[in-house]
Amino acid sequence: MRQRAIRNLAKLDMTQARITRILDAAAGGKNHFTADRDAVRRYDLAAPVTTTAARAVLHYLCRVVRHLAGEGVDQFVIVGSGVPSGLPPGGQLHDVARDALRVSAPRVVYVENDPMVLAGARATIEPITDLVRVVEGDIREIDELLDDRVLQTFLDWDRPVAVLLLSTHSLNDDEYFHYVIKRIRQAVREGSYLSLLQTTFDAIPPELLSAVHDLLAMTLPGHAIRTREEVEALLHGLVLVDPGLVWIPDWRPDGQDVEGADQPGASGGYGAVARIP
C-alpha cells in the first residue's frame, strides 16, 4: 500500500480532473483543482445538471448511512467517496453515522486513492477522532484492499459491516465487478450490507448524448457508464433493500433533500443497498 501511495503521489497531476474532485467542486467543496472546476463548467455547458447531480450524490450517501445506522450497523467501509468537503461542518458521513446511532460510536474507514484527498482527510479527520481511519486503496485491487492491515484490525469482521461502493466508475470490466461483489460478500458476516452508486446516461436527452460522451472521453477517460439493465445484472442474486435499484434521489427520500427531487434522472446515477444474507 505504501509503495502504491508513493507512486500515486508522484503522479499527482493538477491539470487532470478526477471524478471525486469534480463532485467536490460541483458541491461547493474545497478539495479540488482548477481542472476540476473547468470540467464542471464544461459539463454544465453540455447538460446543465452537474451541481444538482453532485449534491444528489452527497444527499444519497447521507441517507444510506443514516438508514444503515438506524438498522444498528456501526461499522462502515466507504470506498471512493472522496471524503467530500461539500458536506457541511459536522455533517460528514462519519458524523451522520454517529448522530443516527446515538447509543454507540460507529467506526468508519474511508478508502481513497487520490493523493490530495488522502492528505486532506488525514490532516482534518484522523487527528480529531479515534473512530475514523483513512486508507489508501483501490477497488480495482480488491484482494489487496481487503487484506489491508488497518482495515483488518480497526474493524471487527466477526460483526456486520456496511460497505459503500462508490467508485464503480473505475470498474470497466463487468466480470471483475462481479468478482469484487463476490469478494466483499465473502469477507463480511451475515447481516452486513453492500451499497453501490453507478453513473448512467440513461436520462441524457438523445440530442445531447454524443456531446456528453465526447466530453467524458476528454475529461474522464475510462469512466464506466452503465444502463439500468447492466446494473441489474451486476446485482443479480443480491437481496435489495426497498426501494431497490432506483435513481439516487428516489432512494428513501426524507423530505429534507430537494436536489433532483423533481427530475431524479438528472442525478445521473443509480443507487441500491443490498443485505448480505
Side-chain angles (χ1 to χ4, degrees):
M1 288 287 184
R2 177 171 295 181
Q3 290 179 342
R4 186 172 59 207
I6 294 173
R7 292 197 303 269
N8 284 345
L9 188 58
K11 293 186 293 184
L12 177 60
D13 183 358
M14 292 184 291
T15 66
Q16 177 63 53
R18 291 283 297 269
I19 182 59
T20 50
R21 298 198 303 257
I22 288 174
L23 289 174
D24 184 80
K30 300 178 180 178
N31 295 334
H32 56 267
F33 298 125
T34 300
D36 306 298
R37 294 192 296 273
D38 288 343
V40 172
R41 285 193 288 271
R42 290 177 181 177
Y43 278 104
D44 275 339
L45 286 173
V49 295
T50 309
T51 298
T52 296
R55 293 203 173 277
V57 167
L58 298 185
H59 293 323
Y60 164 74
L61 299 179
C62 289
R63 293 197 306 275
V64 169
V65 169
R66 193 177 296 119
H67 171 76
L68 295 180
E71 293 294 308
V73 177
D74 62 359
Q75 301 187 110
F76 294 83
V77 179
I78 302 173
V79 185
S81 72
V83 195
S85 63
L87 291 168
Q92 287 282 355
L93 299 180
H94 55 277
D95 299 316
V96 173
R98 180 199 61 216
D99 293 344
L101 274 167
R102 298 183 182 280
V103 295
S104 62
R107 287 183 172 244
V108 177
V109 178
Y110 291 103
V111 179
E112 182 55 61
N113 64 3
D114 185 299
M116 178 184 180
V117 174
L118 285 165
R122 285 170 173 162
T124 60
I125 297 176
E126 284 190 342
I128 63 174
T129 174
D130 291 331
L131 299 174
V132 176
R133 294 292 183 271
V134 182
V135 170
E136 196 273 336
D138 195 320
I139 195 61
R140 293 169 294 186
E141 299 175 6
I142 185 62
D143 293 318
E144 185 175 355
L145 172 57
L146 290 174
D147 287 339
D148 179 81
R149 181 185 60 81
V150 173
L151 206 66
Q152 285 295 318
T153 58
F154 184 66
L155 302 177
D156 181 355
W157 292 89
D158 290 326
R159 297 194 302 105
V161 177
V163 180
L164 277 62
L165 188 55
L166 313 177
S167 52
T168 56
H169 57 269
S170 65
L171 296 172
N172 285 286
D173 185 338
D174 282 1
E175 183 176 352
Y176 187 74
F177 200 149
H178 279 291
Y179 177 72
V180 168
I181 293 176
K182 176 183 176 181
R183 286 291 289 114
I184 292 172
R185 294 180 68 176
Q186 291 173 340
V188 301
R189 292 294 180 265
E190 179 181 354
S192 294
Y193 290 86
L194 171 64
S195 172
L196 65 79
L197 169 70
Q198 174 63 57
T199 307
T200 184
F201 284 169
D202 281 359
I204 297 291
E207 64 272 17
L208 297 178
L209 197 55
S210 177
V212 174
H213 269 294
D214 290 345
L215 181 57
L216 184 73
M218 180 174 60
T219 57
L220 295 170
H223 189 103
I225 302 296
R226 292 182 172 88
T227 65
R228 180 183 176 85
E229 290 72 21
E230 290 170 330
V231 181
E232 286 177 335
L234 291 169
L235 295 170
H236 180 70
L238 294 173
V239 180
L240 300 187
V241 173
D242 286 338
L245 176 65
V246 295
W247 293 109
I248 54 177
D250 290 337
W251 199 90
R252 294 180 177 264
D254 54 13
Q256 300 178 25
D257 307 325
V258 297
E259 299 290 344
D262 55 340
Q263 293 182 302
S267 66
Y270 290 120
V273 176
R275 191 176 190 277
I276 307 299

